[in-house]
Amino acid sequence: MSLRLMSAILLGSTLALSACSSGDSTRQIVEEIEGGVNPYLWRASLDTLRFLPLEDADPYGGIINFDWLAFEETPNQRIKASVFILDTRLRADGVKVSVFRQTRDANGQWQDASVSTDTQIQLENKILERARVLKSSEIG
């Protein structure tokens, strides 16, 4: 993945985090997801990847799929992501992010391209960081 695209992803997730408040909306999500997946990881996943269009989400199965997005700076590349929440507890191994990237070839067709493992790990860490903030705001 190009440095420019990785920067755009991280900038988008940072902006999404700064634009979100953790008040009543977090409490509402906690109440709605009882028993399915960890509500803090769920909300943090939505917040962190807010810049991507939401394709579908299953709060009971813990899967969030985001649709393709091409950034203005890199119109011949696009990304999408899937988030898997694997636990009802707030744990470091409770979330897995898969990022997919495609590039447009000379014929205008989208071709799969590699994504750095570091990008996925950084997104997982951002989600965990946001989940901890959400949880601590509920406690404090």
Side-chain angles (χ1 to χ4, degrees), residues 23-135:
D24 295 332
S25 58
T26 301
R27 283 187 206 94
Q28 180 182 2
I29 288 173
V30 168
E31 292 167 5
E32 289 175 4
I33 301 180
E34 279 181 29
V37 297
N38 183 280
Y40 302 107
L41 289 173
W42 181 263
R43 173 59 191 260
S45 298
L46 293 171
D47 288 354
T48 302
L49 294 168
R50 183 181 196 160
F51 63 96
L52 290 173
L54 183 64
E55 186 175 344
D56 60 56
D58 176 7
Y60 299 104
I63 301 170
I64 306 171
N65 291 308
F66 295 91
D67 208 355
W68 292 107
L69 175 69
F71 295 96
E72 287 182 28
E73 305 85 35
T74 55
N76 291 324
Q77 293 187 63
R78 65 183 186 173
I79 62 164
K80 74 181 221 170
S82 294
V83 177
F84 305 93
I85 300 173
L86 307 171
D87 206 322
T88 57
R89 298 167 291 173
L90 180 52
R91 297 171 37 114
D93 61 354
V95 64
K96 172 78 173 124
V97 177
S98 295
V99 178
F100 307 93
R101 182 173 74 102
Q102 292 183 335
T103 57
R104 197 182 326 244
D105 66 16
N107 297 323
Q109 300 296 317
W110 291 107
Q111 302 293 319
D112 291 338
S114 64
V115 177
S116 168
T117 305
D118 288 344
T119 300
Q120 296 175 156
I121 291 170
Q122 288 176 5
L123 288 170
E124 290 168 3
N125 288 338
K126 288 265 188 211
I127 290 169
L128 289 165
E129 180 182 316
R130 177 69 176 150
R132 286 186 207 105
V133 168
L134 291 171
K135 185 172 183 175

Side-chain angles (χ1 to χ4, degrees), residues 5-36:
L5 185 57
M6 185 186 308
S7 297
I9 290 171
L10 293 175
L11 176 63
S13 65
T14 302
L15 291 173
L17 287 175
S18 64
C20 298
S21 65
S22 60
D24 295 332
S25 58
T26 301
R27 283 187 206 94
Q28 180 182 2
I29 288 173
V30 168
E31 292 167 5
E32 289 175 4
I33 301 180
E34 279 181 29

